[in-house]
Amino acid sequence: MHILVTGGAGYIGSHTCVAAYAAGHTITILDNLSNSSPESLNRVEKISGRRPRLVVGDIGDRSVVRSVLDSEKFDAVIHFAGYKAVGESVAKPWEYYQNNVAGTLVLLDELRRHGVRNFIFSSSATVYGNPDPKDLPLKETAPLSALNPYGATKLWLEEIMRAMAAADPAWHFLLLRYFNPVGAHESGLMGEDPAGIPNNLMPYITQVAVGRLKELTIFGNDYPTPDGTGVRDYIHVCDLAEGHVAALAKVADLPGCTAINLGSGSGVSVAQLVASFEKAIGRPLPHRFGPRRPGDAAACYADASKALQLLGWKTKRNSDDMCRDAWNWQSKNPNGYKNA
């Protein structure tokens, strides 16, 4: 298949390109490089022996999207391009609605005009809001809500795609709800390289370990969990990438709009993840406990049985693998892709 991958130079996108090449697909990337580096594609080429065609541009720029779709025939789209930081979305709601919602509407309109109807959407477990403990593990039928503008953009786009699929049965939408992607490619050539101070736990941990940040703050150690810290469903980024390849193999057979959790199906606490990372680096990680953050759930993890049933996919890697690979990446690339 020839796949258009929006945001394909980013963390999850670049790992998915490696997995897609291993499965024999052809890739074109559309990415504005606002939170990614073209160096990631050099690493894709080193690992895969193939280099994606990169078009630098924005999904909200209709002329760019149209020119890409005019230039070649595509069998499917994987849509990663979107802003994804909760705190930033609260500070910059307009930018999030403009990029994530309005930009995706431009993309979908041009796909409709060009007859491309197989669409894999990078959604998120954030659409479950602050889940009731009785709903754990979370099935795709669990109640949905948005706690911040980022979550609202994912929720609204899911609703838009459901309405489009109901109006036009030619559409095939797979809404892949990620839980907590972490880790890196086992080679150490590719990993997570966020701009600025990391918003996610694992890159913050690795930057503390490599000396770029002073210490990790664990927000809350008084939750009703076994060790008092929050419990999350962490998924290795390479498992997640393979989930997208599994989705590509099935998208044409799944008409309409289908939501699928991509998670491990079990919870790991923040304290447990830190302990796994300390095992990987062979020394203590500087950290302290701070107060809970507003809106953080005590626990959130997936029921991943639907992914196994529909896609034949499940995770293969555990938290020790995630921490080992994340440290392998960061220790070999202390400044990420910068100065590569």
Side-chain angles (χ1 to χ4, degrees):
M1 297 171 70
H2 189 180
I3 312 155
L4 175 62
V5 183
T6 70
Y11 172 48
I12 302 171
S14 58
H15 285 81
T16 298
C17 287
V18 169
Y21 274 141
H25 298 298
T26 300
I27 300 166
T28 295
I29 290 173
L30 174 62
D31 197 315
N32 65 11
L33 302 179
S34 64
N35 193 33
S36 58
S37 169
E39 175 61 26
S40 67
L41 304 186
N42 293 335
R43 309 298 178 90
V44 169
E45 186 175 22
K46 283 183 180 180
I47 295 167
S48 305
R50 298 176 67 187
R51 186 181 186 86
R53 174 194 173 206
L54 171 65
V55 178
V56 179
D58 198 279
I59 57 168
D61 187 332
R62 187 177 294 272
S63 63
V64 171
V65 175
R66 183 172 293 175
S67 68
V68 171
L69 294 172
D70 282 343
S71 67
E72 299 185 68
K73 183 182 183 303
F74 294 94
D75 301 295
V77 176
I78 304 178
H79 181 36
F80 293 114
Y83 298 151
K84 62 182 182 67
V86 168
E88 184 182 61
S89 78
V90 175
K92 299 180 177 179
W94 186 90
E95 287 82 354
Y96 269 67
Y97 295 129
Q98 173 66 27
N99 181 77
N100 292 11
V101 179
T104 300
L105 288 174
V106 171
L107 174 65
L108 288 171
D109 188 34
E110 287 301 318
L111 293 173
R112 180 174 60 172
R113 292 169 183 268
H114 287 78
V116 182
R117 295 290 199 277
N118 294 326
F119 194 89
I120 297 170
F121 177 51
S122 171
S123 191
S124 168
T126 192
V127 300
Y128 295 117
N130 194 341
D132 190 314
K134 69 178 175 56
D135 292 325
L136 297 174
L138 290 166
K139 292 183 177 290
E140 290 80 359
T141 52
L144 306 179
S145 65
L147 301 178
N148 49 68
Y150 164 66
T153 66
K154 295 296 187 183
L155 197 55
W156 293 358
L157 286 170
E158 285 199 7
E159 291 293 340
I160 288 166
M161 292 174 203
R162 272 189 281 274
M164 290 178 66
D168 180 356
W171 281 103
H172 296 236
F173 289 110
L174 292 185
L175 314 177
L176 302 186
R177 294 174 180 164
Y178 312 161
F179 279 67
N180 296 74
V182 296
H185 192 269
E186 64 182 4
S187 66
L189 288 170
M190 291 169 50
E192 191 167 7
D193 185 27
I197 301 297
N199 291 292
N200 296 325
L201 177 62
M202 183 60 83
Y204 206 104
I205 287 174
T206 60
Q207 290 189 22
V208 169
V210 84
R212 286 170 61 181
L213 296 171
K214 181 181 177 181
E215 66 179 359
L216 171 71
T217 299
I218 298 175
F219 296 104
N221 63 343
D222 58 350
Y223 284 108
T225 60
D227 60 26
T229 63
V231 170
R232 297 292 181 267
D233 189 334
Y234 297 100
I235 175 175
H236 196 294
V237 67
C238 291
D239 279 329
L240 185 58
E242 290 162 9
H244 286 80
V245 173
L248 282 170
K250 298 294 185 180
V251 63
D253 300 325
L254 295 170
C257 191
T258 307
I260 302 176
N261 289 335
L262 293 187
S264 70
S266 62
V268 173
S269 76
V270 174
Q272 287 174 321
L273 193 71
V274 170
S276 285
F277 193 81
E278 291 177 332
K279 177 181 173 183
I281 63 177
R283 55 184 166 85
L285 182 80
H287 66 275
R288 65 181 180 87
F289 293 102
R292 298 184 190 185
R293 291 183 301 189
D296 276 357
C300 182
Y301 53 95
D303 180 326
S305 58
K306 191 173 180 181
L308 181 60
Q309 175 193 351
L310 294 183
L311 307 181
W313 172 91
K314 63 179 181 179
T315 58
K316 303 173 185 174
R317 301 161 178 90
N318 62 27
S319 57
D320 285 346
D321 299 325
M322 299 170 200
C323 293
R324 179 200 64 218
D325 292 342
W327 178 237
N328 187 35
W329 148 254
Q330 194 74 81
S331 60
K332 290 178 177 176
N333 303 269
N335 295 309
Y337 293 122
K338 300 173 188 67
N339 311 123

